[in-house]
């Protein structure tokens, strides 16, 4: 349930390499396929069984339990054994999963939500005071929101800060002591944006499991809870209701 690879190789560069090495008959595609894709195809052709990596060591139990129940168990029929170091995963203030309730609006032209940006600005100020020396990442599914966050938070950043602001795709494989996840979607969002998030289970899975100790989800809690009425059971409303059951919704 991870994201597909991202490559910086251009199509013409791939074609040049293939021609230079005279391997066109191998039908390789460096842009469209990763090494994993080729290995998976080979394993399938060879009738090799896949192995589920069933031990988890990174996240605070509250964080990984969401993925365990709503993503791995429901989609793959398996659960992971949580073997996280509790001393390490509880080393920040407000460890575990928190939902910061922000009733914002989505920009009509860009995938931005300014109310969430302002809430994150205040949250980062608080986190930096309370958790000196801890690494911090801020992520979002949308490029426009990433750019808006980088611009707004610039006054809070120093050369010594370990603060990374990027899209979920760029965070795959990374981890931070504290993660902030800006959802962006709101009451006025086009249906296509909601469908995009709800159909991308792997995107939400990667986004929330980058956090070691503390995860802050920033978004309209009531709206995300209610999208189930219109779109049926979905991962976004599951996440909102999970935070309610933890009693971790902060207005």
């Amino acid at each position: 349930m991870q994201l597909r690879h991202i490559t910086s190789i251009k199509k013409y560069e791939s074609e040049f390499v293939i021609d230079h090495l005279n391997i066109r008959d191998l039908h390789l595609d460096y842009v469209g396929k990763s090494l994993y894709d080729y290995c998976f195809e080979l394993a399938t052709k060879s009738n090799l069984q896949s192995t589920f990596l069933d031990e988890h060591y990174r996240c605070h139990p509250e964080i990984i339990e969401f993925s365990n129940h709503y993503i791995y168990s429901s989609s793959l029929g398996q659960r992971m054994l949580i073997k996280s170091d509790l001393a390490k995963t509880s080393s920040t203030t407000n460890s575990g999963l928190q939902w910061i309730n922000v009733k914002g609006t989505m920009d009509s032209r860009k995938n931005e939500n300014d109310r969430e940006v302002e809430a994150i600005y205040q949250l980062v100020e608080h986190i930096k005071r309370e958790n000196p020396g801890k690494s911090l990442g801020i992520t979002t599914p949308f490029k426009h929101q990433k750019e808006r966050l980088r611009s707004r938070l610039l006054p809070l950043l120093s050369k010594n800060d370990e603060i990374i602001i990027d899209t979920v795709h760029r965070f795959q494989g990374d981890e931070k002591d504290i993660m902030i996840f800006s959802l962006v979607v709101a009451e006025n969002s086009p249906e296509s944006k909601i469908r995009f998030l709800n159909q991308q289970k792997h995107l939400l899975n990667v986004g929330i499991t980058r956090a070691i100790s503390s995860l802050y989800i920033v978004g309209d809690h009531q709206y995300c809870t209610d999208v189930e009425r219109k779109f049926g059971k979905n991962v976004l409303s599951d996440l909102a209701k999970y935070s309610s059951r933890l009693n971790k919704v902060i207005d």
Side-chain angles (χ1 to χ4, degrees), residues 95-110:
S95 59
L97 184 150
Q98 320 280 327
W99 187 297
I100 309 299
N101 187 28
V102 176
K103 193 171 180 61
T105 57
M106 195 170 183
D107 187 273
S108 59
R109 294 172 299 170
K110 294 183 176 181

Side-chain angles (χ1 to χ4, degrees), residues 22 45 65 124 174-175 193 197 228:
N22 194 28
K45 291 176 182 177
E65 183 54 32
V124 170
D174 202 353
E175 63 181 30
K193 303 303 177 185
L197 287 183
E228 184 175 24

Side-chain angles (χ1 to χ4, degrees), residues 162-220:
E162 290 190 60
I163 301 178
I164 304 297
I165 305 170
D166 219 325
T167 59
V168 175
H169 284 79
R170 294 294 181 180
F171 264 101
Q172 179 156 267
D174 202 353
E175 63 181 30
K176 299 294 177 185
D177 294 314
I178 304 166
M179 285 294 301
I180 301 172
F181 193 167
S182 176
L183 293 174
V184 180
V185 292
E187 286 280 0
N188 68 324
S189 297
E191 287 191 6
S192 60
K193 303 303 177 185
I194 311 301
R195 293 187 188 280
F196 167 73
L197 287 183
N198 286 336
Q199 291 169 1
Q200 305 288 326
K201 269 191 175 184
H202 50 293
L203 188 147
L204 281 176
N205 182 45
V206 170
I208 66 178
T209 56
R210 301 307 93 197
I212 296 172
S213 183
S214 298
L215 169 67
Y216 295 89
I217 300 165
V218 180
D220 187 333

Side-chain angles (χ1 to χ4, degrees), residues 133-174:
K134 296 297 183 181
S135 60
L136 170 62
I138 305 170
T139 191
T140 177
F142 302 106
K143 181 178 71 173
H144 292 150
Q145 185 77 342
K146 171 206 72 177
E147 293 167 350
R148 181 75 183 87
L149 283 163
R150 284 182 176 178
S151 174
R152 181 67 181 97
L153 294 175
L154 191 60
L156 297 181
L157 306 181
S158 68
K159 291 182 180 179
N160 297 324
D161 277 331
E162 290 190 60
I163 301 178
I164 304 297
I165 305 170
D166 219 325
T167 59
V168 175
H169 284 79
R170 294 294 181 180
F171 264 101
Q172 179 156 267
D174 202 353

